[in-house]
Amino acid sequence: MTREVLSVRDMVVTFDEFVALDGVSLSVTEGQSFGIVGESGSGKSTLLRAVAGLNSFESGTLTVSGRRYSGHLRDKDFYRTVQMVFQDPYGSLHPRQTVDRLLLEPLAIHGFTDVDSRIARALDEVGLGTGFRFRYSHQLSGGQRQRVAIARALILEPKILLLDEPTSALDASIQAEILNLLEQARKDRGLTFVMVSHDLGVISHMCERLAVMRKGKVVEIVSVEALENRTFSEDYTRQLLVASEGFRRD
């Protein structure tokens, strides 16, 4: 029997008078890869950041592994369970810290002592190796930086990864490598993914179910099979699918 590990109910987020999330609800079961799609400004990233505690939500509930959270306050237990990989590998890594320091910091915060073995394992898991341990982020390519960001997220052995457009800032040749790396990590660790993307092709490849968002609301939640078979109910989902496939000659 599948177990619900993340639940959002009637979540509302506002910035000044702008309603960014308007009563959003969804649930994700253990081991599932769940996608969130929609046009720019639909609230996808805002939802992910509200779950992570980076944006506060005014009303509604967030439940993670049976524990309820409110507003933006999160404790250490939350971050042992939930980690986030951001869109921009250039902005998410501190430019004056070595890879070693970037990976050591979360281990020190959470009181781990076997830091050398954990750092070596994390780098190996993302295909970098210990030769990258004492480099700075400016010495790395975009793909290598995103691998470090993934290693930093995985090093605490979380159960849930929040992925905010993790490949959109990368060259097309690197995107598939990063997606395959993430999928392998999910299988090896039994992770649950919540992935935001504007690219329905990426979501179809990575996810089993997806929420379609528009103007801060969830329009519908469908399976990837329903998306591929065109058995969804909302015209907006159909428009997104057409836009994602691009222009074709008749």
Side-chain angles (χ1 to χ4, degrees):
M1 183 177 177
T2 56
R3 182 172 68 96
E4 185 181 82
V5 295
L6 189 149
S7 171
V8 173
R9 290 287 174 268
D10 304 318
M11 182 177 283
V12 174
V13 172
T14 61
F15 300 110
D16 295 325
E17 296 182 358
F18 175 72
V19 180
L21 294 182
D22 188 3
V24 169
S25 297
L26 56 83
S27 62
V28 183
T29 57
E30 188 173 28
Q32 186 178 63
S33 186
F34 187 92
I36 304 172
V37 299
E39 62 191 331
S40 296
S42 61
K44 308 183 301 296
S45 293
T46 299
L47 173 58
L48 219 61
R49 293 173 67 87
V51 171
L54 300 172
N55 291 335
S56 181
F57 57 93
E58 283 70 47
S59 60
T61 61
L62 167 68
T63 306
V64 177
S65 296
R67 185 169 179 180
R68 182 171 290 189
Y69 296 88
S70 61
H72 67 277
L73 297 176
R74 306 287 184 270
D75 55 15
K76 282 188 177 182
D77 287 342
F78 177 87
Y79 291 110
R80 281 295 308 273
T81 303
V82 181
Q83 283 286 305
M84 186 165 174
V85 177
F86 296 90
Q87 176 180 5
D88 181 13
Y90 296 91
S92 65
L93 303 180
H94 196 296
R96 295 187 179 181
Q97 291 184 353
T98 62
V99 171
D100 180 76
R101 179 66 185 274
L102 290 166
L103 298 180
L104 178 62
E105 188 173 37
L107 295 175
I109 290 172
H110 289 269
F112 288 97
T113 55
D114 53 341
V115 294
D116 286 332
S117 61
R118 284 182 177 272
I119 289 173
R121 178 193 171 195
L123 288 173
D124 183 64
E125 188 172 10
V126 298
L128 290 180
T130 54
F132 287 84
R133 185 168 173 178
F134 296 102
R135 295 188 189 183
Y136 291 89
S137 59
H138 70 267
Q139 297 173 311
L140 306 177
S141 68
Q144 289 167 344
R145 292 184 197 202
Q146 196 63 306
R147 288 172 188 265
V148 171
I150 293 167
R152 182 176 59 182
L154 293 176
I155 204 164
L156 294 177
E157 300 182 4
K159 299 299 182 184
I160 301 170
L161 270 192
L162 307 177
L163 304 165
D164 188 5
E165 304 251 23
T167 62
S168 65
L170 304 175
D171 292 341
S173 59
I174 307 299
Q175 290 183 11
E177 293 179 10
I178 298 299
L179 292 175
N180 290 336
L181 163 64
L182 287 167
E183 183 59 21
Q184 190 62 50
R186 185 168 80 96
K187 291 177 180 176
D188 293 344
R189 292 173 173 254
L191 292 166
T192 301
F193 281 178
V194 183
M195 173 181 276
V196 160
S197 181
H198 67 279
D199 190 332
L200 281 172
V202 168
I203 293 295
S204 297
H205 175 69
M206 295 291 290
C207 302
E208 294 109 40
R209 292 172 65 233
L210 64 142
V212 180
M213 292 191 65
R214 184 186 189 193
K215 295 181 179 178
K217 295 177 179 287
V218 172
V219 175
E220 65 176 326
I221 295 177
V222 297
S223 68
V224 166
E225 289 79 11
L227 190 71
E228 293 172 346
N229 296 328
R230 309 295 203 271
T231 54
F232 39 78
S233 60
E234 294 293 327
D235 188 55
Y236 177 70
T237 305
R238 185 172 293 103
Q239 293 172 17
L240 270 184
L241 192 60
V242 170
S244 183
E245 290 174 339
F247 296 101
R248 294 178 177 175
R249 292 181 181 273
D250 292 335

